Amino acid sequence: MAAPSTDLSAALVLASPQLADWLVVLPVVLMIGFGAVLMMVRKSVRLHGTIAITGLALLVLLDAALLIRISTYGPITMVMGRWLPPFGIAFTADLFGSLMAFVSAVVALAAGVFALRDIDAGGRRYGFFPFLMLLMAGVSGAFLTGDIFNLYVWFEVLLISSFGLLILGSEPEQIDGALKYAVLNLIGTTLFLIAVGYLYAIFGTLNMADIAGKASRLRETAPLVTLTALFILAFAMKAAAFPVNFWLPASYHTPRITVSALFGGLLTKVGIYALIRVTVMLFPVEREELSFVVAVSAALTMVIGALGALAQNDLRRLVGYVVIAGIGNMMAGVAIGTPAAVSGSILYALHSVVTMTALYLVAGEAARLGGAWSLSGLGGLYRRAPWFSAASLALFLAAAGLPPLSGLWPKVALLKASLDIGAWWLAAAILISAFIVTLALARVFLLAFWRPRPEPAPELAIARDWRIAWPLGCLTALSILFGLFPETVLDLSQRAATGLAEPSAYIRSVFPGGAAP
Amino acid sequence: MNTLILRTVAPVLTALMLLFSVFVLLRGHNEPGGGFIGGLIAASALAIYGIAFGVSAVRRAIRFHPMAIAGSGLLLATLSGLVSIFAGVPFMTGLWIYPEILGVEVPLATVMSFDIGVYLVVVGAITSIALALEQEEPERAEAIGEQPPPPVRAKRPRKPRPKPQVEG
């Protein structure tokens, strides 16, 4: 067969990619591959744990390599099938995306190890581990893609896997929670899709680097504020920001606790990631126009989330509200929009991925030790499990934002940023929310850990289990390390925020030859 | 459905449709067709067989669990994308080889193996759904290999314990 004689350089990337460029697609490929293998051995549930943990450990290594590579050499792009961007689908990872991908992988590994204990053979036969792999494929894809329609596709992938995880066990209350979750999330995803459609009509491109480059030219004529408002609404729904937050406490307490932990840690943060990516990098001027609305929503989200946490009796619902309070903090950074504030949001997101997952795991372990999910039924955990209680206290302090733990630095950054622009009420909301969350979590510690057990229960001999101790211990250690030695993470998140505010390196990585055609 | 006509026609129809699905799959490389539509045709063939002879007959006939078929397709599609790592081109780039088989040059491509992967994913997923819908309730649990959910999970109590009765 004769080779075609046309000039291929007009359509294809002819330079062969460096091996390191593969790091940007491999996390997703790895997760889909492992998910596929797990589906093939679906009935041999004994193998699932080993295969899944191997896969997640490899994912952590790949994401670590990607993060190191990007922090040294800048953003990496690979375009599927050699097509020239913006026509081919580009995977572009910058510091922000790779940081989030790395932290999610670590948390997924911890949750996977915890699941070895928490998910019994029945849950595995329903496909917990294949769903977990596909969920991580969706999450990694969302963090690493450089194409906004592709971002939508990864949202769908993680949404569908999350439906599967949510109804693991098929209990009536799970179906009830899943219905609320599914309807609200499908509406959010549809809004996102509609917004992408408008965007394509305006720009004629879906590549994010291309959009960022073209936005300044189209700003005079195109209704970009409307478009940005649609995106903000869609992502706020995903992230569970007020007033579209009610699906989260209605559904996150129903599934297995590992699933809640994964959802609370990862899924809402994917929404925040997309929000920051679209508003800060693609439409900064429009974000400025809408910043007051976002700020009000952020302040209300923080305060309502914190108040909700104070009012709850069920541990899982309580943690759900703490997640929402954190979302408000991250939205505050988006509303302020200066690089310092965005770096505060990124820091908060990293802290929140680790801490919220760990809090759900604490809730699960507390319920296993104490035999109840409710604060009124729990008690005496400190006497029974001092190490576990110490770790829980550390995580509570971290979630509340008290020194010397990881929650402090993002809150300091956000406070400073909001005072810098004179938004004293936003700063006040951050402080009030932190105060109420402290109260709520102190209440948990007081009732569930310090208080003697409300009833003299039969002392069950509950053995210490590495599958619980290691994930909880490692996540707590991460949180403490970040609190005590914040320099590296602070520096990384500041550079990530600068990269978003001034995306020239991102654009150059997609279009090495210069401006988009 | 236990009618004589359907039971007589179904095996022939199923065989023809499966053959046709492969034809559509291969034709799809350059003309209308492809893995997705081919997979749908194959899945409807299996569904017809299931309507005529019952779900367990289909499960015996396809040997593997439909989800395992879908998984193998997903793996095949993923690996087809990864081949390009050895050729020094980006992910999912179509690569071709032209072996001579029986004196005829047969072009083979990673595009085709990807499409076969799509075919298997669609066959597996849709058949799985179709069989689950065709199945009678009691045989479902046993045939899918799922245990019915345990009535009470002792490890994870959901309700708070009853309040202790305080005497006096």
Side-chain angles (χ1 to χ4, degrees):
Chain A
M1 236 180 228
S5 59
T6 40
D7 179 20
L8 286 175
S9 65
L12 297 180
V13 180
L14 291 181
S16 68
Q18 288 174 300
L19 214 52
D21 289 358
W22 279 86
L23 284 174
V24 71
V25 288
L26 280 183
V28 180
V29 174
L30 180 84
M31 282 298 99
I32 292 184
F34 269 83
V37 171
L38 280 170
M39 268 163 78
M40 288 164 72
V41 298
R42 185 156 162 268
K43 290 207 190 136
S44 330
V45 285
R46 281 172 186 286
L47 297 173
H48 282 196
T50 325
I51 298 176
I53 299 301
T54 317
L56 290 171
L58 282 175
L59 180 68
V60 172
L61 290 181
L62 276 179
D63 278 335
L66 178 67
L67 180 59
I68 292 168
R69 171 84 192 176
I70 287 175
S71 73
T72 358
Y73 294 98
I76 304 181
T77 297
M78 178 176 267
V79 189
M80 304 296 117
R82 291 171 89 182
W83 299 109
L84 270 186
F87 304 110
I89 294 171
F91 261 54
T92 307
D94 62 352
L95 208 48
F96 180 32
S98 57
L99 265 175
M100 294 297 289
F102 174 64
V103 175
S104 322
V106 171
V107 160
L109 178 61
V113 175
F114 193 87
L116 292 179
R117 163 81 209 214
D118 184 49
I119 306 293
D120 51 13
R124 293 184 194 195
R125 211 170 280 121
Y126 270 106
F128 172 81
F129 283 111
F131 279 132
L132 174 61
M133 296 291 124
L134 295 177
L135 181 83
M136 283 316 293
V139 170
S140 313
F143 287 147
L144 299 179
T145 187
D147 183 288
I148 200 155
F149 183 74
N150 202 234
L151 179 65
Y152 164 78
V153 173
W154 294 120
F155 264 88
E156 287 285 301
V157 169
L158 69 87
L159 201 59
I160 287 173
S161 343
S162 71
F163 291 159
L165 287 172
L166 204 56
I167 55 162
L168 205 77
S170 307
E171 288 162 29
E173 60 180 279
Q174 289 181 327
I175 310 286
D176 176 57
L179 193 68
K180 291 165 187 159
Y181 175 85
V183 169
L184 259 292
N185 272 288
L186 284 178
I187 293 174
T189 317
T190 312
L191 263 177
F192 180 19
L193 185 61
I194 291 170
V196 171
Y198 280 148
L199 182 135
Y200 190 59
I202 294 170
F203 285 88
T205 178
L206 294 166
N207 186 294
M208 294 207 256
D210 204 16
I211 297 168
K214 282 181 177 163
S216 55
R217 266 179 276 158
L218 289 163
R219 200 153 269 142
E220 298 301 317
T221 49
L224 293 190
V225 177
T226 316
L227 184 65
T228 314
L230 267 178
F231 273 120
I232 290 179
L233 179 57
F235 294 142
M237 219 171 219
K238 288 271 158 205
F242 183 83
V244 278
N245 62 348
F246 43 85
W247 58 269
L248 191 147
S251 61
Y252 271 23
H253 66 287
T254 52
R256 308 288 177 94
I257 199 69
T258 320
V259 176
S260 304
L262 280 167
F263 285 13
L266 299 181
L267 296 195
T268 46
K269 259 52 92 188
V270 179
I272 287 289
Y273 167 84
L275 186 69
I276 293 180
R277 173 72 72 200
V278 167
T279 57
V280 178
M281 189 175 104
L282 301 186
F283 304 117
V285 178
E286 290 72 22
R287 187 205 54 73
E288 198 63 44
E289 295 283 322
L290 295 163
S291 63
F292 182 70
V293 184
V294 179
V296 170
S297 153
L300 286 172
T301 310
M302 284 178 228
V303 176
I304 287 175
L307 284 174
L310 196 58
Q312 290 303 318
N313 186 28
D314 187 303
L315 265 183
R316 294 165 297 179
R317 279 176 178 267
L318 194 152
V319 180
Y321 278 102
V322 176
V323 171
I324 293 178
I327 294 298
N329 281 291
M330 289 173 246
M331 298 265 295
V334 176
I336 301 165
T338 56
V342 174
S343 104
S345 283
I346 295 173
L347 265 185
Y348 203 106
L350 298 174
H351 143 78
S352 169
V353 169
V354 174
T355 320
M356 293 308 143
T357 308
L359 275 187
Y360 271 109
L361 298 185
V362 161
E365 176 64 0
R368 187 178 75 98
L369 288 174
W373 288 108
S374 64
L375 286 178
S376 48
L378 283 168
L381 290 176
Y382 186 69
R383 174 178 295 249
R384 301 190 61 187
W387 280 106
F388 165 64
S389 306
S392 311
L393 182 62
L395 288 167
F396 290 168
L397 294 179
L402 293 176
L405 289 132
S406 63
L408 173 74
W409 303 108
K411 284 206 167 126
V412 169
L414 286 172
L415 266 179
K416 184 168 179 308
S418 52
L419 289 175
D420 279 348
I421 63 154
W424 56 268
W425 51 276
L426 199 56
I430 293 175
L431 286 177
I432 292 172
S433 149
F435 178 65
I436 304 176
V437 170
T438 315
L439 282 186
L441 291 172
R443 184 166 152 262
V444 174
F445 197 74
L446 200 67
L447 292 179
F449 290 81
W450 263 358
R451 181 178 62 157
R453 227 182 137 76
E455 60 186 295
E459 280 297 316
L460 304 167
I462 292 177
R464 209 170 283 154
D465 195 325
W466 65 272
R467 291 167 297 188
I468 286 168
W470 273 95
L472 262 178
C474 288
L475 291 181
T476 316
L478 258 183
S479 172
I480 294 174
L481 276 179
F482 173 31
L484 292 179
F485 307 102
E487 293 86 6
T488 321
V489 189
L490 275 173
D491 175 52
L492 281 175
S493 72
Q494 262 153 17
R495 281 167 53 202
T498 324
L500 285 172
E502 182 41 64
S504 56
Y506 189 95
I507 297 177
R508 220 176 21 252
S509 119
V510 183
F511 302 104
Chain B
M1 267 217 279
N2 211 3
T3 72
L4 182 63
I5 298 177
L6 183 64
R7 285 167 57 125
T8 316
V9 174
V12 185
L13 207 54
T14 305
L16 272 178
M17 282 172 81
L18 284 176
L19 205 60
F20 184 62
S21 76
V22 176
F23 164 70
V24 169
L25 160 71
L26 295 178
R27 175 193 148 94
H29 193 78
N30 289 321
E31 283 165 280
F36 189 86
I37 182 70
L40 283 181
I41 294 171
S44 24
L46 294 176
I48 288 179
Y49 198 75
I51 292 172
F53 295 102
V55 170
S56 42
V58 179
R59 290 197 192 279
R60 271 199 305 280
I62 58 176
R63 281 166 173 272
F64 299 104
H65 192 282
M67 288 315 284
I69 295 178
S72 65
L74 191 57
L75 191 65
L76 180 61
T78 317
L79 292 180
S80 322
L82 272 185
V83 174
S84 47
I85 202 170
F86 302 108
V89 285
F91 188 56
M92 290 278 177
T93 306
L95 294 169
W96 298 78
I97 47 170
Y98 304 96
E100 294 252 335
I101 296 174
L102 301 176
V104 183
E105 193 184 67
V106 184
L108 296 176
T110 54
V111 184
M112 192 176 81
S113 64
F114 180 85
D115 220 13
I116 294 173
V118 173
Y119 175 88
L120 291 175
V121 169
V122 176
V123 173
I126 303 291
T127 306
S128 185
I129 295 170
L131 293 187
L133 289 178
E134 284 173 13
Q135 202 142 42
E136 301 294 326
E137 199 52 52
E139 65 174 314
R140 178 177 294 166
E142 151 257 338
I144 307 178
E146 278 169 358
Q147 285 171 345
V152 179
R153 266 181 283 122
K155 267 186 295 180
R156 301 176 63 245
R158 302 198 148 264
K159 287 177 195 143
R161 298 182 174 198
K163 290 264 163 64
Q165 299 290 321
V166 182
E167 306 278 329

